[in-house]
Amino acid sequence: MPEIPRPVVYLFASAAPPALQLLDVVRRAQGRGWDVVVGLTPTARDWLESRVTELEELTGHPVKTTYRRPGQPDVLPPADAVLFAPATFNSVNSLAAGITSSWVVGCTAEAPGKGIPVVVMPCVNSALVQHPQFDRSVEVLREARMQVLYGAGGFVPNRPGERLSYPWERAFAAVERVLEAVLEG
């Protein structure tokens, strides 16, 4: 009997405290039957530099941070879904504005145009979300056919300096829903 291919989920993280949990998060995602590819913003990669080799061994894929050069082969399997979590204030606003200087932001920005579902879960504090651009950016991402898990049922901002648990299970559940829709569609 042929092996059923596992869905490929690109797990992208920017530099917020939940990114430090990525080894455990990848294991949990793999436990759901997903083939996980990790992408990091440059600052998140700096934070996780000592764990990159372990992440690569765990996933079987390189941890990607930068764009490939023209003519270089793409060594990653095509994504069935993208989960950008945690997405910082900067990443959410860059993504909404189409500023793709980071590979994970650029890959996420083009995913809906390729028919790849995107789930974004911010990780921002209550002071930053007071900036009027943040709500505008969330709306732009939703208009771009990205599911943004923010507010009730998603990430609820914490006070500056306060550490709350990050709702990874909500992100996983959202990805499972979009994967089911892809498989049915």
Side-chain angles (χ1 to χ4, degrees):
M1 181 186 297
E3 187 177 316
I4 298 171
R6 297 181 304 155
V8 177
V9 176
Y10 282 18
L11 173 59
F12 293 161
S14 48
L20 299 174
Q21 304 166 357
L22 274 188
L23 284 167
D24 178 57
V25 170
V26 167
R27 287 183 191 101
R28 290 166 52 196
Q30 289 172 326
R32 292 173 178 265
W34 303 344
D35 181 2
V36 180
V37 173
V38 174
L40 302 171
T41 63
T43 304
R45 184 173 186 115
D46 183 55
W47 285 19
L48 293 165
E49 191 61 45
S50 66
R51 298 179 183 149
V52 167
T53 300
E54 193 173 351
L55 283 165
E56 290 177 338
E57 290 171 356
L58 184 61
T59 64
H61 304 291
V63 172
K64 191 155 178 188
T65 301
T66 59
Y67 288 98
R68 62 186 166 92
R69 291 189 174 101
Q72 278 185 322
D74 188 355
V75 297
L76 300 177
D80 292 305
V82 173
L83 171 58
F84 197 156
T88 60
F89 179 80
N90 185 56
S91 292
V92 168
N93 288 324
S94 294
L95 183 56
I99 300 171
T100 60
S101 55
S102 162
W103 177 78
V104 297
V105 172
C107 186
T108 304
E110 74 177 356
K114 292 179 168 183
I116 301 167
V118 174
V119 175
V120 177
M121 189 158 65
C123 184
V124 293
N125 68 45
S126 59
L128 284 172
V129 300
Q130 297 305 308
H131 192 290
Q133 186 56 51
F134 187 76
D135 283 337
R136 290 183 201 128
S137 292
V138 168
E139 287 308 310
V140 167
L141 297 181
R142 288 176 174 155
E143 288 173 22
R145 300 182 317 275
M146 296 183 197
Q147 183 177 353
V148 182
L149 304 176
Y150 172 66
F155 178 79
V156 177
N158 53 295
R159 289 189 299 269
E162 178 184 40
R163 293 278 167 91
L164 299 176
S165 65
Y166 193 66
W168 285 108
E169 286 303 318
R170 293 177 185 170
F172 290 159
V175 172
E176 283 186 343
R177 286 190 297 275
V178 299
L179 287 172
E180 286 174 12
V182 168
L183 294 174
E184 292 172 2

